Amino acid sequence: MEVKPLKPSQLKWTCPTDLFEFTNSSELSPSKEIVGQDRAVRAVKLGLEIPSSGYNMFVTGVSGSGRETTVKHILDRIDTTTDKLTDLCYVYNFEDSTRPRALVFPAGEGKQFKEGLELCVELLRKNIPVVLRSESTASEKGVLLESFSEQKKEQMDKAEKAAVEAGFAMVSIPAGQGQSRPDVLPVIDGKPHTYEQLQQLAAEEKVTKEKLAEYRSLHTDLFKLLTASIRHVQSIEIKAQVEVERLYRRILKPTVTGILDRLSGIGGKESAEFVENISETILTNIDVFSSSAEEADPYVIFEVNLIVDNSDRKKRPVVVEQFPDVVRLFGNIDRIVIDNKPYSDHTMIRAGSFLRANGGYLIINAMDVVRQQGLWQNLIQTVRNRTVITRPNEITRAFMPTELQPEPIDVDVKVILIGPSWLYSSLASQDPDFGYLFRIRADFDDRMNINEKNVQDFAGVIAYICQSESVLPLDINAMASIAEQAVRLTGRQDKISLKFNMVADYVRQASYWAGQDGRDVVTAEDVSKAISEKHYRLSLGEDYATKRILENQVMVDTEGAAIGQLNGLAVYSGADHSFGLPSRITATVSPGVEGIVNVERESELSGRIHTKGVYVITGFFREHFALDYPLCLSAGIVFEQSYGGVDGDSASSTELYALLSALSGVPLRQDLAVTGSVNQHGRIQPIGGVNYKIEGHFKVCQQRGLTGTQGVIIPNSNVIHLQLNNDVVEAVRKKQFHIYPVSTIEEGISLLTGIEAGEKNSHGTFPADTILGMADARLRQMAETVRDFGGGH
C-alpha cells in the first residue's frame, strides 16, 4: 500500500507556448468576442429577442465575468431597428392644473409638435393684437357700441323727460372724493333744490308744508324711475360687453384656428384635443391674451415639455443606469420659489431612465437597487404594471403645498438586472412576482475548459486589454504565465478563469514593472514580479502568523514523530488575501463511555460542519471496530492554540489519524501535514483551498530549513485542483518537499507511521502488528476495563 509522491508535472498546469503564434501580443488581433459564455449568451439572446411580457432578464455571475459587456455586445449584434419608438410629452391640463396630461407621439412627432406649437404661439402673440386693432374690427365694434349707446340714451331720456314734466331736474350729487351719484331734484326759480334747501324754504314760509310733501312724493316716484333706468342701462352695457366679446371671438376665431391648424395631423386624438383646448382658452379669455402687459405671460401654459425625444433614433434605446435611485429611475418634478412659496408645473417634469428606455432596454445593477429602501418595490411595481408614475422626490414633496400628479405613462421596457446568484435566489424565494416578471436567467460562468481554442481566445482578450488600456504588450512567455495565473484563480488544472477584471490587474501591474525596468514588452519575469509584489503587499497578517510558528509561540513541529499529535492545515481568508498554515491537532484516549469529545464543540468554538466531521469519525469506529465488544471510549480531540472558531471538515482525516495513533501507541510523522475530509467508510474526500494549505506548510518548512522528508498529504481527488507556486514545484523537483495523494485512511496512516494499516480477515479482525490491529486491541482492552469497573468511569 505504498503511496508515491506526485511528480512536479502534476503540481500545476503549465501553458504550452506552442499554442501561441506570436512574438508579442501586439501581433494578435484584439478580440472583442464573448469568450467561454455560450450558455449565458444563448440565454441573453433569447431574453432580448422575445417581445412578450414577463421576459425581463436577470443576469447572474461573479463581478468581472463580462455580464454587462456581453449584454451590450449582443444588443449591438441583433437588429434592434424599429419604427415603434415614441416621443413623450407633458402638457397643461385645462381641467385640473395639478394633473398634467401626457401626450405620446410617434418618434419625431413630439419634437415637431413642440416646435410647431412654439411657432403658433409666436404668431398668436403678434396677430391677435393686430386683428383686434384693425380698422374693420374698430368699425364693427363702433357700430355695435353705437346701437347700445342709443339704447342707453333712450332709457335715460325717458327718466329725464318724466322729471322735467314733474318740475324736477336730473343732477349728479357729490358722494365723496372724486365720486357722484345721480338724483332728481325739484326746480324752484329755475334752480334745483336739495331736500335741506327745501326745508329752509319751508321754514321761511316760502314753500308750504303741503308743497313740501308733494315734492317728497314726486321725488320718491321719480327716483324709482331713475334707478330702474340706470339698471336697464347697466344691463345694456353688459349685453354690449358680451356682444363685443362675441364680435372679437367671431373675428379672431379664423385667425386662431388658422394658426393652430399647422398642428393638425401631428399626433392623435389626445394632441388634437389639447390644440382644441388652446383655441377655446384663447377665444374665451381674449382680454388676457390680447394684453400687452409684461407682468405674466399667459401663453406659458401652452408650453410643451418634451421629456423623451426619439426623433434621431432608429434603434431601440439601451439605457445603462449606473446610479439607480427613485429620481434617476422614475423621474422627478423640479420646483422653484416664487414669493417665498414653492411652485411646480408641467414644464418642470423630468424623465427618468424608465421613460428614456421606453421601447428598448434598461440595464441596472440589482445590488444597487436592493440596497436602497423601497426602491425594489417601486421597480417591481413598475415592471408589473408597465406604467411609470413620476412624483417629486421626498425632500421636494415635503415643501409642496399642492402636489403635482402627472398622468402615468404606459411603457414597454425590457429590464435587465445584473447581480450575484445568491441575490437571484433570494428574490425568487421572497417575491412572488419575481419569477413571473423575470423569466429569463442568464448565468455567467467564471471559468472555461482548457483547450487549444479557449486558451487562444483567452490570449485574444488579453491582447484587447493591452490595446484598449495602452499597456505594454506581452511576449509569449508572459502570456503563458498570465494564463497559468488565470488557471490558479479557478482552483482547477482543467479550467481557465473568465474573471478578466482580476486577470487584467496582473497584466497592468506586470506592464508597470516592465516599464520600471525599461522594457517595452512584458516578460514572464515581470508577471512573476507582479504576482509576488501583490502577495507581499497583502501578506502582512500571513507573515505575522508564520512568524509566531517560527518563534514557537504557536507550537508546530516539522520534524520527528509524536503519538496522538499531527499537523492539520487551515486556510485563513480576508477580503483580498487568503493563505494557509499548519495547526497542531492532538488526541487523547482512555476507557470510558463518553465517546469522542470534540473540545472545540464543548467550548462553543466548533462550527456545524466541523462538528459533523467529528460525528463521522465515530461512524468510522463503529464500522471498523467493536464487532464483538462494546465501544467503550472516552477521547478528546483538540485544535491546539486555536482561540477562534473552527469550521469545515477538512481536518476530519487528520483528527482520525491522531486518534488511531493514540489508540495504537504508534507515533506519527511531524514532518508531514495533512488535509482531507473522511467519510464513515474511511475514504478521503476533497477539500477546498488545497494550494494555500500546501504553500502555507511549505513556507514554514522552508524557513526552518527543508530536510528532504517534509511534505503534505492531500486527498487524491484534489490533485486536479493543484496550481502551486514555482517555489513549491521547484522544491518537489529537487526532492526537498513531497506531496502525497491518498484515497483512504489506510493509505494515510501507513505513510504517517511506516506501519501497515491492516486489513480485516475472515473473522472480522486485523493483524496484531498493524495500526488498525493495535487500535482494535486497545479498544477491546478498554471495553474490558469498563466492564470490570462496572460500566462507568
Side-chain angles (χ1 to χ4, degrees):
M1 196 181 291
E2 182 182 359
V3 179
K4 294 183 179 180
L6 294 175
K7 300 175 182 178
S9 60
Q10 296 175 282
L11 303 183
K12 67 178 295 185
W13 175 79
T14 303
C15 182
T17 55
D18 58 6
L19 291 177
F20 307 128
E21 297 179 355
F22 61 84
T23 304
N24 70 60
S25 60
S26 63
E27 300 168 13
L28 287 173
S29 298
S31 175
K32 295 183 180 180
E33 295 299 310
I34 303 164
V35 175
Q37 301 289 3
D38 180 65
R39 187 193 310 272
V41 167
R42 290 167 65 177
V44 170
K45 193 170 186 297
L46 177 70
L48 293 177
E49 295 186 339
I50 292 181
S52 302
S53 175
Y55 278 84
N56 299 292
M57 192 185 322
F58 198 108
V59 181
T60 58
V62 298
S63 178
S65 56
R67 298 168 297 178
E68 182 179 320
T69 303
T70 299
V71 172
K72 291 179 182 177
H73 192 58
I74 295 174
L75 283 169
D76 289 339
R77 286 185 173 184
I78 65 176
D79 184 11
T80 58
T81 305
T82 181
D83 58 357
K84 296 181 179 180
L85 294 180
T86 58
D87 295 337
L88 304 177
C89 302
Y90 272 109
V91 296
Y92 184 79
N93 186 337
F94 293 93
E95 296 179 357
D96 185 349
S97 62
T98 66
R99 298 177 181 272
R101 292 189 60 190
L103 298 183
V104 181
F105 297 89
E109 291 191 14
K111 183 177 182 180
Q112 185 181 354
F113 185 80
K114 176 181 174 63
E115 293 177 347
L117 184 53
E118 288 173 351
L119 176 60
C120 289
V121 166
E122 288 304 311
L123 291 174
L124 290 168
R125 287 181 194 273
K126 295 177 181 178
N127 283 274
I128 288 177
V130 170
V131 171
L132 292 179
R133 295 166 189 163
S134 67
E135 290 184 6
S136 60
T137 302
S139 176
E140 287 193 52
K141 181 181 177 181
V143 172
L144 181 65
L145 292 179
E146 185 177 352
S147 67
F148 284 103
S149 178
E150 290 177 356
Q151 294 178 36
K152 292 192 294 181
K153 185 175 182 302
E154 182 179 346
Q155 287 294 322
M156 296 307 294
D157 286 348
K158 288 180 181 179
E160 186 174 8
K161 182 180 179 182
V164 171
E165 290 177 351
F168 279 70
M170 290 180 57
V171 296
S172 292
I173 304 298
Q177 187 176 3
Q179 295 181 346
S180 63
R181 62 177 178 82
D183 202 348
V184 288
L185 299 178
V187 177
I188 301 174
D189 297 331
K191 295 181 179 179
H193 284 65
T194 65
Y195 180 70
E196 289 78 7
Q197 290 173 334
L198 288 175
Q199 285 184 318
Q200 181 65 34
L201 291 175
E204 296 174 357
E205 297 183 351
K206 293 181 179 180
V207 175
T208 65
K209 293 181 179 181
E210 290 77 11
K211 194 63 174 178
L212 181 62
E214 181 183 348
Y215 282 143
R216 286 179 179 174
S217 176
L218 286 172
H219 178 270
T220 300
D221 295 338
L222 291 172
F223 189 77
K224 288 180 180 179
L225 179 60
L226 175 60
T227 302
S229 297
I230 291 173
R231 288 174 178 171
H232 198 176
V233 168
Q234 290 174 340
S235 175
I236 292 171
E237 289 176 344
I238 291 172
K239 289 180 181 179
Q241 181 62 34
V242 171
E243 290 302 317
V244 169
E245 290 177 359
R246 287 177 180 173
L247 172 66
Y248 283 169
R249 183 183 181 95
R250 176 174 57 80
I251 293 173
L252 279 178
K253 187 171 183 179
T255 301
V256 173
T257 56
I259 291 174
L260 293 176
D261 277 348
R262 298 167 182 267
L263 303 175
S264 63
I266 304 177
K269 178 182 177 182
E270 291 78 9
S271 58
E273 289 179 356
F274 177 67
V275 173
E276 181 62 30
N277 284 331
I278 293 176
S279 176
E280 185 61 28
T281 300
I282 292 174
L283 295 175
T284 305
N285 301 276
I286 293 174
D287 56 334
V288 174
F289 289 94
S290 62
S291 173
S292 59
E294 298 181 357
E295 293 181 0
D297 182 8
Y299 290 92
V300 71
I301 64 174
F302 303 149
E303 184 176 342
V304 175
N305 182 7
L306 179 61
I307 60 173
V308 175
D309 179 12
N310 284 316
S311 56
D312 297 327
R313 188 183 297 277
K314 302 300 180 185
K315 293 187 175 183
R316 298 183 183 277
V318 178
V319 178
V320 181
E321 185 48 73
Q322 301 283 6
F323 305 98
D325 57 25
V326 171
V327 170
R328 294 184 67 89
L329 283 180
F330 308 113
N332 190 30
I333 303 173
D334 296 339
R335 70 182 179 100
I336 58 176
V337 177
I338 300 177
D339 296 331
N340 293 321
K341 295 180 181 179
Y343 170 81
S344 293
D345 60 32
H346 70 281
T347 65
M348 301 177 187
I349 301 170
R350 303 291 176 254
S353 301
F354 253 98
L355 292 179
R356 289 188 287 108
N358 189 28
Y361 311 91
L362 176 59
I363 303 173
I364 315 171
N365 187 303
M367 286 297 297
D368 291 338
V369 175
V370 299
R371 285 189 182 110
Q372 299 189 50
Q373 184 177 3
L375 187 56
W376 172 257
Q377 188 62 32
N378 287 335
L379 174 67
I380 211 74
Q381 287 174 348
T382 301
V383 174
R384 181 181 61 241
N385 298 323
R386 306 184 76 180
T387 301
V388 172
I389 299 176
T390 302
R391 293 286 182 265
N393 63 61
E394 293 299 326
I395 297 176
T396 301
R397 182 181 296 181
F399 294 95
M400 293 301 294
T402 302
E403 181 179 331
L404 212 62
Q405 298 181 15
E407 181 181 358
I409 297 179
D410 293 338
V411 291
D412 178 20
V413 178
K414 191 174 288 292
V415 178
I416 303 165
L417 295 178
I418 298 177
S421 296
W422 67 262
L423 180 58
Y424 175 88
S425 300
S426 176
L427 293 173
S429 62
Q430 296 179 23
D431 194 325
D433 291 331
F434 181 79
Y436 167 74
L437 297 173
F438 291 87
R439 299 187 181 186
I440 298 295
R441 178 184 181 183
D443 199 9
F444 276 69
D445 204 347
D446 64 350
R447 62 195 65 190
M448 62 180 175
N449 293 329
I450 289 181
N451 55 48
E452 183 175 347
K453 179 182 181 305
N454 285 349
V455 174
Q456 290 173 348
D457 288 345
F458 175 87
V461 174
I462 299 302
Y464 171 74
I465 293 171
C466 292
Q467 184 188 75
S468 63
E469 299 190 13
S470 300
V471 301
L472 296 177
L474 280 65
D475 70 16
I476 193 169
N477 292 316
M479 185 66 77
S481 295
I482 288 293
E484 290 167 9
Q485 186 63 17
V487 170
R488 180 179 170 94
L489 291 176
T490 70
R492 288 187 64 96
Q493 293 182 0
D494 58 350
K495 303 285 184 181
I496 190 166
S497 178
L498 296 173
K499 296 179 183 177
F500 286 109
N501 61 335
M502 299 179 68
V503 175
D505 277 343
Y506 290 108
V507 175
R508 299 181 191 108
Q509 293 169 31
S511 173
Y512 169 81
W513 291 115
Q516 290 293 298
D517 290 341
R519 288 188 291 275
D520 56 6
V521 175
V522 177
T523 66
E525 289 74 19
D526 298 318
V527 176
S528 179
K529 186 168 186 178
I531 294 169
S532 62
E533 284 290 328
K534 180 179 180 180
H535 182 271
Y536 177 74
R537 290 195 304 273
L538 301 175
S539 62
L540 180 62
E542 176 185 356
D543 289 345
Y544 276 123
T546 303
K547 185 178 180 181
R548 293 182 66 204
I549 293 175
L550 297 176
E551 293 175 345
N552 291 319
Q553 299 297 314
V554 174
M555 292 183 286
V556 172
D557 292 336
T558 52
E559 295 183 70
I563 296 173
Q565 176 180 302
L566 189 58
N567 294 326
L569 292 168
V571 173
Y572 302 88
S573 296
D576 49 13
H577 183 63
S578 298
F579 62 93
L581 283 177
S583 176
R584 176 178 290 177
I585 296 174
T586 61
T588 58
V589 297
S590 68
V593 293
E594 294 179 347
I596 300 174
V597 176
N598 176 8
V599 175
E600 313 302 321
R601 177 175 178 272
E602 296 301 316
S603 58
E604 298 183 351
L605 294 175
S606 175
R608 290 178 297 176
I609 298 176
H610 177 254
T611 299
K612 175 186 174 183
V614 175
Y615 287 140
V616 168
I617 295 174
T618 303
F620 175 88
F621 274 83
R622 291 195 188 99
E623 177 174 289
H624 287 72
F625 308 114
L627 298 181
D628 56 354
Y629 59 89
L631 190 61
C632 298
L633 170 69
S634 290
I637 300 174
V638 181
F639 274 75
E640 301 290 355
Q641 294 182 279
S642 172
Y643 308 108
V646 175
D647 204 4
D649 63 351
S650 64
S652 57
S653 66
T654 312
E655 293 167 332
L656 181 50
Y657 292 138
L659 281 171
L660 292 175
S661 170
L663 285 168
S664 65
V666 177
L668 300 172
R669 292 174 57 179
Q670 301 299 295
D671 54 358
L672 296 178
V674 179
T675 185
S677 168
V678 66
N679 65 21
Q680 293 186 110
H681 305 295
R683 296 184 179 88
I684 305 299
Q685 302 169 143
I687 45 80
V690 65
N691 292 300
Y692 296 125
K693 292 176 178 179
I694 293 172
E695 290 167 0
H697 186 60
F698 172 78
K699 184 176 182 180
V700 172
C701 294
Q702 183 185 45
Q703 293 194 28
R704 282 182 171 173
L706 295 174
T707 63
T709 64
Q710 296 153 329
V712 176
I713 298 175
I714 67 170
N716 187 62
S717 49
N718 273 125
V719 173
I720 189 67
H721 302 122
L722 295 178
Q723 190 68 11
L724 294 166
N725 64 40
N726 291 331
D727 290 343
V728 177
V729 175
E730 187 60 27
V732 170
R733 181 176 288 109
K734 294 178 179 179
K735 300 186 183 304
Q736 296 175 329
F737 197 76
H738 311 277
I739 299 169
Y740 299 95
V742 297
S743 300
T744 65
I745 283 293
E746 287 80 2
E747 292 176 352
I749 196 67
S750 296
L751 181 61
L752 288 164
T753 61
I755 300 173
E756 287 294 322
E759 295 183 11
K760 279 185 180 180
N761 55 32
S762 57
H763 300 292
T765 60
F766 299 94
D769 57 350
T770 63
I771 296 296
L772 296 180
M774 288 183 272
D776 185 42
R778 179 72 184 280
L779 288 169
R780 186 181 297 274
Q781 181 186 27
M782 288 180 177
E784 293 174 353
T785 301
V786 171
R787 181 195 62 195
D788 292 344
F789 279 86
H793 199 65

